Amino acid sequence: MTDMSRQTSSARELVVQRATVRPHASFFYGWWVVLACAVGLFWGPPVTVFCFPVFLKPLMRDFHAGRAAVSLGFTLHLVAIAVGAPLVGWLIDRYGTRKVILLATAIFGSILLLNKLFSANLWQFYLFFIALRLVGNGVGPLPYGSVVSLWFDRYRGLALGLMMVGIGSGAMIMPSLAQQLIARFGWHTAYAVLGGAVLLIAIPVVAVILRERPQDMGLLPDGAPPRNVVAGSEAAAPGLSALDAWSTGTFWLMVCAFFLVSASVQGSVIHLAAMLSDRGISAQTAALGSSLAGAAVLLGRVGTGYLLDRFFAPRVAALFFAGAALGIGLLWIGSTVAILFVGALFVGLGLGAEVDLIAYLVSRHFGLRASGRVYSSAFAAFALAGALGPLIMGAGFDLTGSYRGPLASFFAATLVAAALMTRLGPYRYRASEPDDNEQVLRLSI
């Protein structure tokens, strides 16, 4: 009996040790990966997408072109996202995310640095912007989201949300920085300085910190205790093949929903300042409304990530898409500044949530086996819709002299998207359960 008591006591002491040591373990390296991804994203899309309005008038002046002609470069830029995304997805699945990110970042920064060689006239400027976006797919949410999904399982939503803070903060900081550079040195030098920063800041951070998978460092996703994990092991990630994923109804329900919401919210955000001005609001107040929408985008990115780890993702998506519909509806019928600003807030939240939702839903419904190709094809639909939405808003205004027609259509589209999210069904690949549950149960027994 004494020996048995000693064995029982020893077993309990071992369980207590295993249950108590883990909280004091070193900081999980995956969060450093998230930081590196956020830094990379800060020097990616904000440079070309969110800075474009600041460059618009200097470009018009130098090229002696109207707004439509210069804005065509931005439209081609968005179309290039949709065209190039599937190729980047294939490269990620074939060669690995880290290699794609480093090569794309080097080319992206070099094109910006040497922009004067590619922008002597308007058609060269179009090629310059198309090239930036084709390469820019490799420095955007697509590759970084794929890498974060490999490092996190139970905390994947939060990790994706924190990663997207890089784009959100860049959207707030980069336009002011670009404006100061343009005012002092001109737009050519401004692009060159930003390109130099990409090469000198983004590449070193990514090269030093970013690792492809936790298994490469003898770790498991979320920092789970490594059980027979060999550094550099090539265990296949669970999931469907790209062809199998594309053949499911779930994939096409997602794509349709993402397309409808992307066109609606991006069309509304791009034309927000003009829309508010048409309601008799001053230019300064209208700009404040745009800033509010931008802040809501950042809040939507982080908030969505937090919620995805705690609630069923399609319901979270339906909630945010319904909120975007409410926001568009307020922009459609609203007449006071307060109502219009609330509408801008909800639209911004919807735009901020969508990119997080694409990465998370793809990983849960189709797994990580071919996540690059599956995620990129869904992201291409999102990008293409983002190019079409502003065009639909502009064409509707030119035809009717008002934004009310396009807003009514977008209101209906976002409601349809919210309904589609409720039809996705359960996850195929759920988050793993924490090991501590079993340890605590054994301790109580």
Side-chain angles (χ1 to χ4, degrees):
M1 179 68 81
T2 302
D3 292 338
M4 183 177 296
S5 299
R6 288 176 181 174
Q7 291 175 1
T8 304
S9 177
S10 299
R12 288 188 177 182
E13 288 175 1
L14 178 60
V15 171
V16 170
Q17 184 179 11
R18 290 181 63 190
T20 57
V21 168
R22 189 178 170 191
H24 298 284
S26 59
F27 188 73
F28 178 47
Y29 192 83
W31 296 112
W32 289 111
V33 172
V34 170
L35 176 62
C37 292
V39 172
L41 287 172
F42 180 91
W43 292 104
V47 174
T48 54
V49 176
F50 296 100
C51 287
F52 184 79
V54 176
F55 284 91
L56 181 60
K57 288 189 176 180
L59 291 169
M60 290 169 55
R61 183 172 56 251
D62 277 16
F63 291 127
H64 306 287
R67 296 190 182 192
V70 175
S71 297
L72 178 60
F74 186 71
T75 300
L76 294 173
H77 171 87
L78 294 174
V79 172
I81 299 177
V83 173
L87 174 60
V88 171
W90 179 83
L91 291 173
I92 289 172
D93 290 338
R94 179 68 178 83
Y95 298 104
T97 310
R98 188 173 185 274
K99 292 179 181 178
V100 171
I101 290 173
L102 288 173
L103 178 61
T105 305
I107 299 174
F108 181 75
S110 299
I111 293 174
L112 287 169
L113 187 64
L114 303 174
N115 72 88
K116 200 167 186 177
L117 300 178
F118 307 101
S119 52
N121 51 52
L122 193 57
W123 71 266
Q124 288 187 2
F125 166 74
Y126 292 158
L127 293 178
F128 165 70
F129 242 58
I130 291 173
L132 275 179
R133 194 60 254 181
L134 287 174
V135 177
N137 278 304
V139 299
L142 173 56
Y144 287 114
S146 296
V147 121
V148 167
S149 293
L150 290 172
W151 275 89
F152 291 90
D153 186 21
R154 286 180 285 118
Y155 305 115
R156 185 176 296 162
L158 177 60
L160 288 169
L162 293 175
M163 176 197 80
M164 294 302 294
V165 170
I167 289 183
S169 57
M172 292 188 292
I173 296 172
M174 203 65 71
S176 298
L177 174 61
Q179 178 60 56
Q180 293 181 17
L181 291 172
I182 292 170
R184 293 188 178 187
F185 308 110
W187 69 270
H188 280 298
T189 303
Y191 270 136
V193 170
L194 294 174
V198 170
L199 297 175
L200 295 175
I201 299 176
I203 287 183
V205 170
V206 171
V208 172
I209 299 177
L210 190 67
R211 294 294 180 269
E212 185 85 15
R213 303 174 307 139
Q215 291 83 355
D216 295 339
M217 301 181 67
L219 301 172
L220 288 175
D222 300 314
R227 295 179 175 178
N228 300 322
V229 179
V230 179
S233 62
E234 295 293 339
L240 302 180
S241 69
L243 289 177
D244 287 340
W246 293 332
S247 65
T248 63
T250 299
F251 175 80
W252 293 107
L253 284 174
M254 282 187 196
V255 167
C256 289
F258 296 148
F259 187 92
L260 292 172
V261 173
S262 178
S264 301
V265 297
Q266 296 202 61
S268 299
V269 168
I270 293 297
H271 287 263
L272 182 61
M275 192 189 316
L276 295 177
S277 297
D278 290 345
R279 306 288 177 89
I281 297 173
S282 68
Q284 183 176 1
T285 305
L288 181 60
S290 296
S291 298
L292 178 63
V297 169
L298 179 58
L299 179 62
R301 295 197 192 287
V302 180
T304 303
Y306 177 83
L307 293 173
L308 289 175
D309 290 330
R310 287 157 178 78
F311 302 100
F312 187 49
R315 292 174 185 166
V316 175
L319 176 65
F320 274 94
F321 292 173
L326 173 61
I328 292 172
L330 293 176
L331 294 176
W332 174 24
I333 64 174
S335 56
T336 67
V337 173
I339 292 177
L340 294 172
F341 273 27
V342 172
L345 175 67
F346 278 106
V347 170
L349 288 172
L351 178 58
E354 192 168 11
V355 176
D356 286 3
L357 287 165
I358 296 173
Y360 192 89
L361 287 169
V362 165
S363 70
R364 290 296 178 220
H365 283 277
F366 309 115
L368 301 176
R369 176 183 170 190
S371 61
R373 280 168 289 178
V374 180
Y375 180 21
S376 65
S377 53
F379 189 81
F382 167 82
L384 180 61
L388 293 177
L391 292 178
I392 293 172
M393 285 286 281
F397 183 87
D398 291 341
L399 287 174
T400 65
S402 170
Y403 286 115
R404 294 188 184 278
L407 286 173
S409 300
F410 288 160
F411 173 74
T414 46
L415 286 179
V416 171
L420 291 176
M421 283 290 105
T422 66
R423 309 300 300 170
L424 292 185
Y427 298 146
R428 283 188 178 88
Y429 302 93
R430 295 179 178 274
S432 60
E433 295 295 331
D435 294 336
D436 287 349
N437 289 343
E438 180 183 353
Q439 296 171 359
V440 171
L441 178 61
R442 288 178 57 196
L443 180 62
S444 63
I445 292 173

